[in-house]
């Protein structure tokens, strides 16, 4: 086994959050940081998800780093929404521009993380048996980073090609002339289906639950829009933090959908549909996400749109979501998704009525029929929010295990720390608004808070910080209470853990809004990290690098 390697701080994951953590810890605190990354490149979600059509559903001028004004000005996004290759290119540019690669060890998957209270050190063990130690451990492991294939019987029997959207081959896949199945109609399925359909001989889509899918209205970046945005970037970034989703440019609505006349609503919804994007509908009225009757006005509008696009009436009805309020599952943005079902060689199978029973040698079997395919694409999602942390055996030498602590659902303080696990910070962990926000903004906000906290510890002679059990309990209950005031818990979503059999049904993200969350984080810090306890250094310094 290699010698133990010592650092000031360890960061797990070289996605957007991990890279920014490395940059800030180095630049603001001068720490010697080691990032450990499973992939052979930076980018996290944008490194792994290379499926055809993969594109961000937040506009690029918003979905980008804000920490460096020159970076903002020098980078140009060719389209309204960045596609995966462009975003990955951007993240690589950031890694090069700020000389981040020298502190990243690639192809290194962390298997275990143990904290020893006596030495005040985290010890991270990799799958290859390497050991890294540091007093600070930052988990930048992502929320949608553990791809999941349902446990279909016969998975290994199928002799054709299989792919998961979240683990797409780097060299791409050519479906020309092939009979292809796509299982799953979340964002990944919806984005890939039109592109796969354009190549494949036949495409059969297995849909268990219809999703609310809105037009992206993607297109080339309008140079005037870009120039205007860049001229006001600072104000926009600041304004974004004052919004629930961390995205600027959407004025907060002032009235309920039920206060508007049907004609007013129709006009606004038409305008919103034509403009494209997901925030417009959520922000059309004050109560779209809290009042089912208001929500239904949007649902009815979207159903009519689907019926207007899809020519086969039976297929159109199947594509109309009917089991959850709009917006309570992640809204999906599409380009040509519904139109794809007007093509003769594209078929939709109702996998709710006839569930997939098993994979076979030549394809798959539902409770009603057998199908043959050359390739099956699993667009079946992720073990979201808790999956990546539970894959690492996080524990303390005192015998506390994060997986055991989270057996009934995640417990965190602010989605940043867990009681009993000192100096382990999560970036956009469960209990934070991360997945319900512009992710890069949330990653920056979390990292800035963590780095300020570490600076405070250094100045005040503290070696360790952890939340109290009471504050963690209160925050976790608050996350639940806030969710209960909305329609979110009505959907069997991955926010609830509902996509994984046996996973506790707990609503995991904080949906009180980025604005309220950030204010709470600032209040906690201003009150001397209220709800957290510190352990005095007493000779154990936070900086460790260079010791034997
Ligand atoms: P997902 O939203 O969890 O969708 C998984 C799909 O697989 C669902 O349609 C699900 O049906 C289906 N499925 C699962 N097990 C099945 C089974 N046994 N039989 C039939 N169908 C089954 O996953 P995703 O599409 O990868 O998206 C996950 C999240 O990643 C998104 O919500 C979004 O936050 C993010 N994402 C974002 C973008 C973007 O920015 N544009 C793109 C891709 C992903 P049920 O609904 O019935 O469970």
């Amino acid at each position: 086994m290699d010698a133990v390697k010592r650092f000031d701080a360890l960061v797990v994951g070289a996605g957007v959050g991990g890279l920014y953590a490395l940059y800030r810890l180095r630049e603001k605190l001068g720490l010697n940081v080691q990032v450990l990354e499973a992939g052979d490149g930076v980018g996290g979600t944008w490194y792994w998800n290379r499926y055809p059509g993969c594109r961000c559903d937040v506009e690029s001028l918003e979905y980008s780093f804000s920490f460096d004004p020159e970076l903002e000005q020098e980078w140009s996004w060719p389209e309204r929404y960045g596609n995966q290759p462009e975003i990955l290119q951007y993240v690589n540019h950031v890694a090069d521009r700020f000389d981040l690669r020298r502190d990243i060890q690639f192809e290194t998957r962390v298997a275990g993380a143990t904290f020893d209270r006596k030495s005040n050190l985290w010890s991270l063990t990799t799958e290859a048996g390497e050991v890294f130690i540091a007093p600070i451990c930052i988990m930048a492991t992502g929320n949608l980073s553990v791809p999941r294939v349902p446990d279909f019987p016969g998975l290994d029997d199928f002799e054709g090609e299989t792919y998961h959207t979240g683990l797409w081959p780097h060299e791409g896949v050519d479906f020309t002339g092939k009979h292809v199945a796509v299982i799953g109609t979340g964002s990944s399925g919806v984005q890939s289906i039109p592109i796969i359909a354009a190549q494949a001989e036949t495409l059969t889509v297995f849909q268990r639950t219809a999703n609310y899918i809105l037009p992206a209205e993607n297109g080339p970046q309008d140079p005037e829009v870009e120039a205007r945005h860049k001229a006001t970037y600072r104000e926009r970034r600041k304004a974004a933090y004052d919004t629930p989703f961390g995205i600027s440019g959407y004025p907060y609505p002032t009235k309920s959908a039920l206060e508007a006349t049907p004609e007013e609503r129709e006009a606004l919804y038409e305008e919103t549909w034509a403009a494209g994007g997901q925030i417009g509908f959520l922000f059309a009225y004050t109560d779209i996400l809290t009042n089912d009757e208001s929500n239904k006005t949007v649902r009815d509008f979207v159903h009519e749109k689907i019926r207007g696009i899809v020519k086969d009436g039976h297929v159109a009805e199947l594509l109309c979501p009917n089991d959850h309020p709009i917006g309570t599952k992640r809204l999906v943005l599409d380009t040509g998704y519904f139109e794809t079902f007007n093509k003769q060689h594209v078929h939709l199978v109702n996998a709710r009525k006839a569930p997939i029973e098993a994979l076979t040698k030549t394809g798959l079997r539902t409770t009603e029929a057998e199908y043959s395919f050359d390739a099956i694409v699993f667009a079946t999602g992720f073990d979201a929010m808790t999956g990546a942390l539970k894959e690492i055996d996080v524990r303390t030498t005192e015998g506390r295990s994060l997986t055991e602590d989270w057996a009934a659902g995640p417990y965190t303080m602010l989605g940043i720390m867990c009681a009993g696990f000192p100096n382990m910070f999560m970036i956009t962990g469960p209990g934070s608004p991360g997945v319900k926000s512009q992710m890069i903004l949330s990653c920056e906000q979390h990292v800035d808070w963590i780095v300020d906290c570490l600076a405070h510890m250094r100045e005040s002679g503290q070696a360790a910080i952890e939340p109290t059990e009471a504050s963690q309990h209160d925050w976790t209950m608050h996350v639940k209470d806030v969710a209960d005031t909305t329609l979110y818990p009505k959907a069997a979503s991955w926010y609830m853990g509902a996509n994984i059999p046996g996973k506790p049904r707990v609503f995991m993200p904080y949906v009180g809004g980025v604005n309220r969350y950030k204010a709470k984080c600032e209040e906690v810090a201003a009150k001397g990290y209220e709800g957290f306890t510190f352990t005095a250094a007493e000779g154990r310094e936070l900086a460790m690098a260079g010791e034997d």
Side-chain angles (χ1 to χ4, degrees):
M1 197 174 71
D2 293 341
V4 171
K5 300 181 180 84
R6 291 165 181 261
F7 294 90
D8 296 331
L10 297 168
V11 176
V12 185
V16 160
L19 290 181
Y20 184 59
L22 165 58
Y23 171 75
R24 265 289 180 251
L25 290 169
R26 207 201 254 173
E27 176 251 12
K28 184 155 180 190
L29 300 179
L31 297 189
N32 184 8
V33 184
Q34 177 69 65
V35 180
L36 304 171
E37 164 58 48
D40 69 3
V42 298
T45 204
W46 301 107
Y47 170 91
W48 297 103
N49 287 269
R50 295 170 189 243
Y51 61 82
C54 182
R55 189 179 287 284
C56 189
D57 55 7
V58 176
E59 291 176 53
S60 300
L61 287 163
E62 293 281 324
Y63 189 84
S64 48
F65 284 109
S66 72
F67 68 87
D68 188 281
E70 280 180 22
L71 172 68
E72 272 171 353
Q73 294 299 326
E74 75 196 12
W75 191 263
S76 276
W77 296 97
E79 292 178 279
R80 180 177 176 188
Y81 302 90
N83 65 26
Q84 179 272 332
E86 284 158 15
I87 299 172
L88 188 59
Q89 196 189 349
Y90 169 75
V91 180
N92 272 283
H93 169 74
V94 172
D96 291 332
R97 195 185 190 288
F98 298 97
D99 190 21
L100 301 178
R101 281 179 215 281
R102 67 180 154 92
D103 289 328
I104 306 171
Q105 181 170 315
F106 293 105
E107 298 183 81
T108 303
R109 191 174 281 280
V110 174
T114 304
F115 182 74
D116 176 22
R117 218 175 262 276
K118 279 202 204 96
S119 62
N120 200 47
L121 288 173
W122 278 96
S123 170
L124 270 54
T125 312
T126 71
E127 280 185 352
E130 284 180 281
V131 180
F132 295 81
I133 63 173
I136 300 157
C137 172
I138 298 189
M139 295 295 192
T141 42
N143 282 288
L144 295 157
S145 46
V146 179
R148 172 192 167 261
V149 173
D151 196 11
F152 295 124
L155 262 181
D156 295 334
D157 296 345
F158 179 57
E159 290 176 350
E161 305 154 36
T162 55
Y163 305 98
H164 189 287
T165 49
L167 287 172
W168 205 258
H170 287 203
E171 63 281 11
V173 182
D174 183 3
F175 291 108
T176 307
K178 294 191 171 151
H179 299 281
V180 183
V182 173
I183 303 174
T185 52
S187 302
S188 307
V190 168
Q191 288 186 332
S192 58
I193 282 164
I195 318 273
I196 296 174
Q199 290 177 359
E201 185 70 22
T202 65
L203 172 63
T204 307
V205 176
F206 291 84
Q207 172 193 275
R208 191 165 63 183
T209 310
N211 254 320
Y212 283 100
I213 299 163
L214 304 172
E217 291 300 325
N218 187 37
Q221 187 70 262
D222 177 339
E224 276 180 31
V225 170
E226 184 180 7
R228 257 200 321 273
H229 210 105
K230 284 186 170 179
T232 52
Y233 240 140
R234 300 275 39 89
E235 297 92 298
R236 282 174 178 271
R237 301 293 198 185
K238 196 166 168 298
Y241 276 120
D242 289 330
T243 67
F245 302 109
I247 297 174
S248 74
Y250 294 89
Y252 202 78
T254 51
K255 67 177 178 185
S256 156
L258 305 179
E259 288 172 300
T261 64
E263 294 73 27
E264 268 180 280
R265 280 198 302 261
E266 185 74 9
L268 179 59
Y269 294 163
E270 279 294 352
E271 198 185 305
T272 308
W273 181 270
Q278 51 173 316
I279 304 296
F281 277 106
L282 302 180
F283 259 34
Y285 293 104
T286 51
D287 54 354
I288 298 299
L289 288 170
T290 51
N291 181 329
D292 195 48
E293 215 184 319
S294 298
N295 187 282
K296 186 172 180 303
T297 63
V298 186
R299 300 201 297 262
D300 291 346
F301 175 85
V302 174
H303 291 168
E304 282 312 305
K305 285 291 180 194
I306 297 170
R307 291 178 187 124
I309 302 170
V310 181
K311 293 191 179 125
D312 180 314
H314 172 68
V315 175
E317 287 316 307
L318 264 184
L319 290 167
C320 286
N322 59 15
D323 75 332
H324 62 280
I326 188 166
T328 56
K329 281 184 158 191
R330 176 77 173 208
L331 285 169
V332 180
L333 295 192
D334 84 298
T335 301
Y337 178 70
F338 292 117
E339 290 82 350
T340 302
F341 292 93
N342 292 332
K343 297 185 175 180
Q344 290 299 314
H345 71 297
V346 178
H347 313 286
L348 183 65
V349 174
N350 183 349
R352 171 79 56 202
K353 185 163 151 275
I356 298 167
E357 269 189 343
L359 263 63
T360 63
K361 237 169 123 166
T362 54
L364 63 79
R365 190 176 66 240
T366 69
T367 50
E368 283 181 357
E370 288 243 8
Y371 299 84
S372 290
F373 298 112
D374 299 309
I376 298 178
V377 175
F378 294 104
T380 45
F382 302 86
D383 185 352
M385 303 194 71
T386 53
L389 271 172
K390 283 178 145 189
E391 279 206 341
I392 299 173
D393 183 17
V394 179
R395 54 180 63 245
T396 67
T397 50
E398 294 156 325
R400 195 155 177 174
S401 144
L402 190 72
T403 302
E404 284 168 22
D405 277 15
W406 285 9
Y411 278 83
T412 73
M413 174 58 177
L414 299 172
I416 295 181
M417 293 199 86
C418 301
F421 298 88
N423 291 0
M424 185 187 86
F425 299 91
M426 296 171 290
I427 299 181
T428 68
S432 85
V435 294
K436 292 299 305 164
S437 73
Q438 198 274 79
M439 257 296 177
I440 300 186
L441 169 138
S442 277
C443 288
E444 289 185 318
Q445 186 265 336
H446 277 64
V447 169
D448 288 344
W449 190 91
I450 293 165
V451 170
D452 286 349
C453 172
L454 292 170
H456 167 82
M457 286 168 66
R458 200 151 71 173
E459 281 156 22
S460 56
Q462 309 294 351
I465 179 171
E466 64 186 296
T468 63
E469 300 286 349
S471 68
Q472 170 167 281
H473 174 83
D474 290 351
W475 181 254
T476 304
M477 290 306 111
H478 176 63
V479 169
K480 180 184 176 305
D481 291 346
V482 172
D484 285 343
T485 65
T486 71
L487 300 172
Y488 281 107
K490 286 184 181 280
S493 64
W494 58 255
Y495 301 140
M496 291 282 288
N499 63 326
I500 305 286
K503 190 165 172 170
R505 297 277 178 121
V506 175
F507 193 84
M508 296 182 281
Y510 173 68
V511 287
V514 165
N515 43 353
R516 281 164 69 191
Y517 174 79
K518 183 167 180 277
K520 173 69 182 174
C521 288
E522 285 167 358
E523 183 193 319
V524 164
K527 290 184 174 169
Y529 295 90
E530 187 179 51
F532 290 83
T533 55
F534 291 100
T535 308
E538 289 168 357
R540 294 167 304 184
E541 294 304 323
L542 261 181
M544 280 292 301
E547 290 189 7
D548 291 330

